[in-house]
Amino acid sequence: HLSIGAGNFFSTYYVAPAISVFKEKYPNVSVDLMEGRTLDLEPLLANGTLDILVTNASLDTSVYHKYRLFDEQLVLVIPKKYLHSEDVVQNAVSYEELDQDIHCPKSGISLEILSSIPFISMRQGNDLNKRTADMLKSIDFVPNKVLELDQTSTAFRLACSGMGACIVGNTVIQKLGCPSDIFLFHIDHPKARREVAVYTKNVDYISRTSRKFIDIMLRQD
């Protein structure tokens, strides 16, 4: 038996394909997938209800063992209708450039650009909410929030519909695609980069079943 926890986005695009491969190799192992916020899933990993948690939040490595999957770059998403300055637009990155390293030739952008743009944010308890709050605090700026959500994929879809700007990981944009009337910007702040990882309880023994699944996750493109 294997119990896995992850948010909706990672469950759909990373965990589900890994489960499919795992079940082909080990059909006699039953697998449970629990979707939810890391805030709610971490206690279940701590008490043993979950064997594995996939998240982009940073968990305490004195309590949990971390298997890094990849880095995620936070991206500021702004509908073109809100931007009229060529000086700002020239720093936008293309959909294809999202695959490039953070140290790309184009400069990152300050979140002060949101002063005249409605902002779609994440709810409290979400790792992105914490990171966004830290980035905004460093420039002493409070954006005009028009909506708070739990899922970054929903925020991105609303931004693409023109409701306002949002911040999401580059993985969301790469998986969902990006319309032509959207500008994408790297964010000039150290909090704009985070790790996506698999976590298990930091115990002396990790089951063979968990190790096999983690190996599949690590080998995914």
Side-chain angles (χ1 to χ4, degrees), residues 10 19 56 69 109 118 126 129 132 135 143 148 188 208 211:
F10 287 115
I19 290 175
N56 49 23
L69 296 177
I109 198 168
N126 186 296
N129 174 283
T132 301
M135 291 189 287
E148 290 189 336
D188 186 16
R208 180 174 178 272
R211 289 185 182 277

Side-chain angles (χ1 to χ4, degrees), residues 24-206:
E24 285 185 9
K25 292 186 175 184
Y26 310 102
N28 295 324
V29 178
S30 63
V31 178
D32 289 332
L33 173 58
M34 184 176 294
E35 296 178 284
R37 301 182 304 168
T38 298
L39 180 69
D40 301 318
L41 294 176
E42 182 185 351
L44 302 181
L45 182 64
N47 68 24
T49 301
L50 292 176
D51 302 303
I52 288 171
L53 177 58
V54 181
T55 180
N56 49 23
S58 298
L59 303 189
D60 187 349
T61 52
S62 69
V63 179
Y64 306 106
H65 189 84
K66 179 174 72 174
Y67 303 82
R68 176 187 167 277
L69 296 177
F70 53 84
D71 286 345
E72 185 176 46
Q73 171 67 39
L74 298 184
V75 178
L76 180 60
V77 179
I78 305 179
K80 286 185 177 181
K81 68 179 184 180
Y82 293 111
L83 293 178
H84 309 288
S85 169
E86 187 59 35
D87 290 340
V88 172
V89 171
Q90 68 181 358
N91 283 321
V93 296
S94 68
Y95 176 76
E96 291 74 23
E97 287 174 313
L98 289 178
D99 278 330
Q100 298 179 8
D101 188 78
I102 183 175
H103 304 295
C104 63
K106 295 179 180 178
S107 301
I109 198 168
S110 170
L111 295 182
E112 288 175 307
I113 194 175
L114 296 172
S115 60
S116 59
I117 303 172
F119 184 60
I120 304 163
S121 69
M122 295 295 102
R123 285 198 179 93
Q124 191 170 2
N126 186 296
D127 178 73
L128 184 51
N129 174 283
K130 298 175 186 176
R131 289 175 180 272
T132 301
D134 288 342
M135 291 189 287
L136 292 170
K137 185 177 180 180
S138 69
I139 58 173
D140 193 24
F141 175 70
V142 179
N144 174 28
K145 295 182 183 180
V146 292
L147 198 62
E148 290 189 336
L149 301 169
D150 289 315
Q151 301 294 336
T152 54
S153 54
T154 306
F156 178 64
R157 288 301 191 197
L158 286 172
C160 290
S161 73
M163 178 173 284
C166 72
I167 296 172
V168 298
N170 62 318
T171 50
V172 172
I173 303 168
Q174 288 163 339
K175 293 297 184 182
L176 299 183
C178 187
S180 59
D181 58 347
I182 291 294
F183 282 125
L184 307 173
F185 298 92
H186 286 312
I187 302 169
D188 186 16
H189 197 283
K191 288 280 188 178
R193 195 172 181 90
R194 60 185 178 181
E195 286 186 338
V196 178
V198 179
Y199 289 88
T200 61
K201 274 189 81 170
N202 198 358
V203 295
D204 294 334
Y205 173 76
I206 298 174

